[in-house]
Amino acid sequence: MTRQCDQTDSKEEVEADDGEQKWKVGDRVYALWAGNSCYYVCTIAEVREKDRKVVVTWDDADTSHRTVSFDQVMRPSDETTAWSKSRIERRATVRQTEQKGRCLFTNEACEPGQVVFVERPLLVALPAVAPKLWECLQKLHGAQPLNLGTVTFHFAALVSVLTLDAADIGVIRDKYVPDPDEEPNEDVTRILQALQDAPCELAKEQISKLDGKSFQRLVSAWRYNSFGHHKEDGLVLYNRISMCAHSCDPTCCWSYGDEDAFVLRSRMALDKGDELTISYLQDEDLLKSTAVRQQKLQNWKFTCMCPRCSLKVDVGRGVRCQRCRVGILYPQATNASFELCRVCGSCPPSEDVAMLLHMEEEYVQRVDTLDKKDLEDVQQVYQAALDIFENHWILYVMDTILWEGHRQKNVMDAMEHQRRRIDFHQHYYFRPTFILAWCHEELGDCMMVQFPARKWHIVQEFQRAYQMLAVLCGSTHQYTASPYNKLWQVSNGTSNSAATNGTTAGG
Ligand SMILES: [Zn+2]
Ligand SMILES: [Zn+2]
């Protein structure tokens, strides 16, 4: 497999250098309000180069904490608008690695929640870009379903050919695919044939020049490197971001900025030279066992060797010690045995091991087929599973169903399941995730209704949600503004200027 170590982009962007930020009077910016360390919208009223500070006028006319140092001021667009290619390149480097091919590394140390870079899409392939083509593919898919189960990958490959220049198509062709020499499969051949026979007003020239092998390569490039669009049935492809390898303990997290820009943030403190990784799996799948994660990652045709997948013992698959009923046993990665019980020191005999693993398999399948609306059934399976398992991801899955099922009418039970979700998340994967942040926020919501007097506890839940969301999507994002406003309400009664302030900042 020959892959270039770095790829030259087609469009060299001419954009201002991002060296030292120059502020001037009248600039509209976000600045840190020392009252609560959140960023708010304001206008610069005075620039003091000597002590590197600005004086700002807050949009809500608050008169406190108006002097802010340079590094606590940011352009509103800095966190949401795509950076220039050269600025991204100063921040992150693509390097060939021995085991994983090309990967992405940071050139600078990053604090948790810091923006690593913001990248614009190479192409957003939505049905509206080529409606006739979309319709045509849907018809083919309807007549005989495509093996990928959707037309989006083939559609995106064809849209690339129709809308991009040769250099940009080259960038896509350069993306990772498991087999660069893949022969055109049945679907690719069929689509190409259909388009050449009845081109439904498509740009016939580009399509007729497309050979099966090139088409196949583009389809695979989209399949292994694109992201589902966050609003519509379509795909988005990024250049630098697609060099980000997967990890089940990713060093980065991401959210969407303006015009489908990809905002990459560090999820934890990073040193210069650390690898930038994201999770190809959804947050909830990061809470499933190593075996389940590995199986899901087969979609991308690789075996994950991340720190979590390399652990000798899987602590997301706990079973109760059958002897003392107090200790929890965790299986070895090899699956043939359990660790010793830390309470009674015993180890189940091999026939028990086989029985436990068999039962676990049965429960995994049972949980997979649960009907979320049949709460009584879920409750029964849950009750029976509690007898055998503890700190097990299948309990987490059922806690989630039961939390959602009970939150309207049976808040007390719902809260208990929510607490158990938080406990498991923290036990198995203790990093900020949207799931964990929202668990805390929702628990805070319930507390406010059920136990309004436990102010310290409510504040704690909203604070945790706020802090995690600030890392995940920034302190000015609307997700983050939500727990922040609740926090303020709980601490200061119900109405105040900061609540409006928070809304502004989150917009
Ligand atoms: Zn992994
Ligand atoms: Zn024991």
Side-chain angles (χ1 to χ4, degrees), residues 451-489:
F451 305 103
R454 286 194 209 166
K455 200 164 139 177
W456 63 271
H457 194 168
I458 301 169
V459 165
Q460 191 180 54
E461 299 300 339
F462 288 145
Q463 240 161 15
R464 285 188 181 152
Y466 170 77
Q467 283 151 352
M468 272 184 225
L469 290 167
V471 169
L472 294 167
C473 55
S475 57
T476 60
H477 196 283
Q478 55 180 342
Y479 288 161
T480 317
S482 168
Y484 172 71
N485 285 335
K486 291 171 187 170
L487 194 57
W488 190 276
Q489 281 170 33

Side-chain angles (χ1 to χ4, degrees), residues 246-248 293-294 297 304-306 308-309:
H246 163 88
S247 168
C248 304
R293 297 197 309 273
Q294 292 275 358
L297 289 166
C304 186
M305 292 177 293
C306 78
R308 289 181 72 205
C309 286

Side-chain angles (χ1 to χ4, degrees), residues 321 323-325 327 341 343-346:
C321 172
R323 184 156 166 246
C324 70
R325 307 290 301 165
C341 171
V343 176
C344 69
S346 79

Side-chain angles (χ1 to χ4, degrees), residues 192-213:
L192 218 47
Q193 192 61 53
L195 289 173
Q196 277 159 0
D197 291 349
C200 52
E201 294 172 45
L202 296 167
K204 203 178 171 184
E205 204 195 324
Q206 283 121 309
I207 303 270
S208 62
K209 270 196 253 160
L210 185 63
D211 66 278
K213 224 169 157 174

Side-chain angles (χ1 to χ4, degrees), residues 345-389:
S346 79
C347 181
S350 59
E351 61 266 29
D352 284 7
V353 171
M355 192 254 314
L356 282 169
L357 292 174
H358 177 68
M359 262 196 311
E360 185 191 22
E361 235 168 78
E362 283 187 338
Y363 267 96
V364 169
Q365 281 173 20
R366 184 82 181 82
V367 166
D368 208 36
T369 54
L370 281 176
D371 175 4
K372 289 181 185 178
K373 288 188 202 103
D374 189 353
L375 281 189
E376 218 165 289
D377 183 50
V378 178
Q379 202 103 42
Q380 261 177 20
V381 177
Y382 183 73
Q383 197 61 48
L386 278 178
D387 243 17
I388 309 163
F389 306 104

Side-chain angles (χ1 to χ4, degrees), residues 108-282:
E108 289 170 33
C110 295
E111 291 297 316
Q114 189 176 332
V115 172
V116 181
F117 61 77
V118 185
E119 186 179 35
R120 72 171 49 88
L122 186 62
L123 183 60
V124 183
L126 298 182
V129 179
K132 289 237 164 66
L133 177 62
W134 177 262
E135 205 179 297
C136 182
L137 293 180
Q138 287 293 3
K139 255 186 215 152
L140 285 172
H141 185 45
Q144 189 195 324
L146 301 178
N147 285 316
L148 290 176
T150 165
V151 306
T152 52
F153 300 107
H154 297 87
F155 176 75
L158 291 168
V159 169
S160 318
V161 175
L162 294 174
T163 63
L164 298 180
D165 58 25
D168 276 348
I169 292 175
V171 172
I172 299 181
R173 284 182 59 87
D174 179 60
K175 296 287 162 220
Y176 160 81
V177 290
D179 175 11
D181 277 326
E182 195 177 0
E183 289 298 329
N185 66 23
E186 175 196 354
D187 287 340
V188 159
T189 312
R190 183 161 71 100
I191 290 171
L192 218 47
Q193 192 61 53
L195 289 173
Q196 277 159 0
D197 291 349
C200 52
E201 294 172 45
L202 296 167
K204 203 178 171 184
E205 204 195 324
Q206 283 121 309
I207 303 270
S208 62
K209 270 196 253 160
L210 185 63
D211 66 278
K213 224 169 157 174
S214 306
F215 186 19
Q216 181 66 58
R217 176 75 185 258
L218 289 173
V219 171
S220 296
W222 276 92
R223 179 178 171 197
Y224 292 104
N225 296 278
S226 64
F227 293 80
H229 191 265
H230 59 299
K231 285 186 191 139
E232 290 179 62
D233 188 12
L235 300 171
V236 194
L237 190 67
Y238 301 88
N239 189 10
R240 270 293 158 270
I241 287 299
S242 65
M243 299 292 169
C244 244
H246 163 88
S247 168
C248 304
D249 186 11
T251 58
C252 297
C253 48
W254 53 277
S255 54
Y256 285 108
D258 306 335
E259 296 170 343
D260 299 315
F262 194 102
V263 184
L264 187 73
R265 282 172 202 279
S266 49
R267 198 189 289 261
M268 54 190 85
L270 298 180
D271 286 331
K272 181 181 170 171
D274 278 352
E275 190 183 346
L276 300 166
T277 53
I278 55 174
S279 171
Y280 296 177
L281 302 174
Q282 297 182 335

